Amino acid sequence: MSRKPCCVGEGLKKGAWTTEEDKKLISYIHEHGEGGWRDIPQKAGLKRCGKSCRLRWTNYLKPEIKRGEFSSEEEQIIIMLHASRGNKWSVIARHLPRRTDNEIKNYWNTHLKKRLVEQGLDPVTHKPIASSSNPTVTTPPENLHSLAASSSDKQYSRSSSMPSLSRPPTSGFNTVSEVSEITSNVWTPVQDGSLGCKKRFKKSSSTSRLLNKVAAKATSIKDILSASMEGSLSATTISHTSFFNGFSEQIRSEEDNSNASLTNTLAGFDPFSQSSLYPEHEINATSDLGMDAQGYDFSHFLEKLGGDNHNEENNINIMNVEYGHDLLMSDVSQEVSSTSVDDQDNMTGNLEGWSNYLIDHADFIYDAESESLEKHFI
DNA sequence: AACAGTCTCAACCGCCTCGAG
DNA sequence: TCTCGAGGCGGTTGAGACTGT
C-alpha cells in the first residue's frame, strides 16, 4: 500500500489550538479549500495531526458555523430528534442549520439530558423513570415546550444544578416564541480564528423564528386533528387514503422508523407527559377513521396544514407562509401519487409518516442576504 | 481573597465504513 | 478479495471558567 498513515511522526502537538495555528489553518483552507487533511498540516506549517486539523475546522473554524446559546426551538428539535433517533448527533445536526454534531452532543450532555432527568424522564428512552427508583421525580411537563422553554432560566442561574421549571401556558409555542424574543440577540460566530473558548453567545433570532415555526407546525397538527375529531371532516375531495398512505410508504422506506416518540408528539401523544394529548376515545376515533378510510376527506386537515391566515397570533399559519400549501400539495402529493396504496394505515401511523417526512425531506437553507432561514423540501 | 466544587465544551480517542490500491 | 488509510462518528476527558462558601 502506498498510502501514508494520517498521524505518523513525533512531535505532533496536542491540546488547545493557538490563535496562530488557527490563522494558519484558516489561511490554508481559504486558499486551497477543504480536503486532503493528511497533507494539510505539513503544507500549512502546522505540527498537528490531519485529523486534528479537520476537527478543528469542522467543529470550530468553519465560518458558517453557528455558535452560542441554543434557542428554545432548537432545543425542541434536538429533544424530538433524540427521542426518535437516539445519539445520532450527525443526523440531528443535519436538521439544525449551522450547528455541529459536536456542539449538539455537548449541549445534550450538559443541558438537555439533565433537564429530562430533572423532569423524571429517562434521557435514553424519554420515558418516565420509575418513581421508586427516582424519589425526586417532579411533575412531568405538560408538554414538550415546557422543557425547552425552561432553557431561558439557565441564562440567569448557573449555580443551581438545574433551572427550575415552571409550567407554561398550554399554548406553549407562543410562550416559547416570547421567551426566544426576550433572550434572542445577535450571535457571534468565530470568524477571525481566535480562541473563543468559554465565550457566551446570544441566540440567533432568525433561527429561532424559523425553528419556532417548525415546532408550531406540530402544534397545528394537534389542533387540526383535534378539530377533525370534533366532526368537522367533510365530503371527499381528496383521497386522504392515498395522501396518508404516501407518508406511510415513506416511513416504511426509512431505515429507522422507530421514531415513536417524536411522531407520537405530533400525532396526539406527548412523550414527555407520557399521556395522550387527546382523550382516549379520540385517539380510538382516530384509528377508526383510519381503518374506515373511504369517504372521508382531509381537505380540512390539509387546509389547516396549509395555513390559517386567521390565526396568525397563534402561529398556526406557518405552513402557508413558510412551507406553502401549494408547495405541500405539489411536492407531497406528487410523491404520494406515485406511491402504491396497498394498505390502510391508521391515522396515527400516517401522522408518523408526516412528521418523518418533515424531518427527513426538508432542509434548512440559510439565506445570507436576507439573514433568513428557509425550509426546502428535498 | 482563597479555596473547593461544579460546569462547560474543545479536543482527543477509538471504532466503523467506505473506497482506493 | 484483501488490506489499509481517510474520513466520519459517538463517547470521553480535562483544562479553564464559574460559583458558592
Side-chain angles (χ1 to χ4, degrees):
Chain A
M1 296 300 129
S2 58
R3 285 184 174 172
K4 295 177 287 182
C6 171
C7 298
V8 290
E10 299 296 321
L12 287 180
K13 196 182 170 200
K14 286 187 177 183
W17 280 64
T18 64
T19 306
E20 206 55 38
E21 287 177 309
D22 284 343
K23 282 177 181 173
K24 283 182 181 176
L25 183 57
I26 290 168
S27 170
Y28 180 86
I29 291 176
H30 278 171
E31 197 171 335
H32 300 93
E34 294 180 47
W37 296 105
R38 181 189 57 187
D39 301 324
I40 282 184
Q42 189 183 4
K43 291 180 178 174
L46 292 163
K47 291 186 186 304
R48 292 275 183 175
C49 163
K51 191 173 181 175
S52 179
C53 293
R54 180 172 58 83
L55 284 172
R56 180 64 180 172
W57 175 256
T58 56
N59 285 336
Y60 203 84
L61 299 177
K62 223 172 176 177
E64 60 261 38
I65 286 175
K66 174 185 175 183
R67 308 191 62 78
E69 290 282 354
F70 280 72
S71 69
S72 300
E73 296 75 24
E74 285 176 305
E75 291 179 354
Q76 289 164 18
I77 288 178
I78 293 170
I79 292 168
M80 286 195 296
L81 286 171
H82 186 272
S84 62
R85 307 300 164 103
N87 294 355
K88 299 293 181 185
W89 307 116
S90 60
V91 173
I92 295 172
R94 284 181 207 130
H95 296 284
L96 288 172
R98 305 188 301 174
R99 293 288 190 184
T100 68
D101 53 357
N102 201 44
E103 192 178 17
I104 292 169
K105 178 176 61 183
N106 281 332
Y107 193 70
W108 172 266
N109 286 329
T110 57
H111 295 93
L112 300 180
K113 192 160 88 175
K114 291 176 185 174
R115 199 175 303 158
L116 261 69
V117 170
E118 190 80 2
Q119 290 297 305
L121 297 173
D122 186 332
V124 177
T125 64
H126 291 241
K127 291 178 179 176
I129 300 168
S131 56
S132 57
S133 62
N134 183 7
T136 60
V137 166
T138 55
T139 306
E142 191 160 20
N143 55 32
L144 162 64
H145 319 136
S146 60
L147 281 168
S150 67
S151 66
S152 59
D153 294 352
K154 67 181 175 290
Q155 307 203 10
Y156 306 111
S157 170
R158 189 174 181 271
S159 59
S160 59
S161 60
M162 285 298 298
S164 62
L165 294 170
S166 59
R167 190 177 284 263
T170 50
S171 56
F173 284 107
N174 274 349
T175 304
V176 169
S177 180
E178 285 157 11
V179 168
S180 298
E181 280 301 316
I182 291 166
T183 58
S184 65
N185 209 318
V186 179
W187 54 273
T188 311
V190 175
Q191 290 177 338
D192 59 0
S194 61
L195 290 167
C197 184
K198 314 304 179 195
K199 273 189 179 177
R200 299 281 180 263
F201 296 88
K202 303 276 184 165
K203 297 175 187 175
S204 157
S205 57
S206 60
T207 306
S208 297
R209 278 196 300 274
L210 181 77
L211 293 173
N212 189 38
K213 290 172 181 177
V214 174
K217 184 161 51 187
T219 302
S220 69
I221 291 174
K222 292 186 297 189
D223 292 342
I224 295 157
L225 181 58
S226 182
S228 297
M229 292 305 100
E230 286 165 8
S232 51
L233 298 175
S234 57
T236 300
T237 55
I238 301 171
S239 166
H240 89 277
T241 309
S242 60
F243 181 82
F244 282 117
N245 277 333
F247 293 127
S248 302
E249 195 68 27
Q250 181 62 44
I251 191 167
R252 274 192 294 274
S253 71
E254 294 290 333
E255 277 186 20
D256 175 10
N257 61 354
S258 60
N259 39 10
S261 193
L262 162 65
T263 52
N264 282 340
T265 303
L266 297 173
F269 183 84
D270 186 336
F272 295 94
S273 65
Q274 288 300 305
S275 62
S276 172
L277 295 171
Y278 306 100
E280 193 175 356
H281 71 273
E282 290 188 351
I283 294 298
N284 290 338
T286 305
S287 298
D288 291 341
L289 275 172
M291 295 297 288
D292 183 17
Q294 304 302 323
Y296 285 103
D297 172 30
F298 281 77
S299 58
H300 169 72
F301 177 82
L302 293 172
E303 187 181 330
K304 279 285 215 172
L305 211 55
D308 182 348
N309 291 326
H310 309 296
N311 209 356
E312 188 164 353
E313 286 182 7
N314 291 328
N315 254 345
I316 300 296
N317 66 331
I318 56 100
M319 295 292 289
N320 208 24
V321 174
E322 289 295 329
Y323 309 97
H325 185 250
D326 293 341
L327 174 66
L328 248 177
M329 292 308 296
S330 58
D331 290 10
V332 172
S333 60
Q334 268 182 18
E335 178 168 347
V336 168
S337 65
S338 65
T339 304
S340 66
V341 179
D342 55 4
D343 63 358
Q344 308 253 327
D345 288 343
N346 64 36
M347 194 169 176
T348 301
N350 288 320
L351 283 168
E352 278 191 16
W354 165 238
S355 58
N356 280 283
Y357 185 90
L358 290 173
I359 295 296
D360 292 323
H361 289 78
D363 251 349
F364 292 99
I365 295 176
Y366 180 67
D367 182 352
E369 237 184 76
S370 63
E371 289 188 349
S372 65
L373 285 154
E374 295 181 357
K375 195 171 179 67
H376 297 258
F377 284 93
I378 53 179

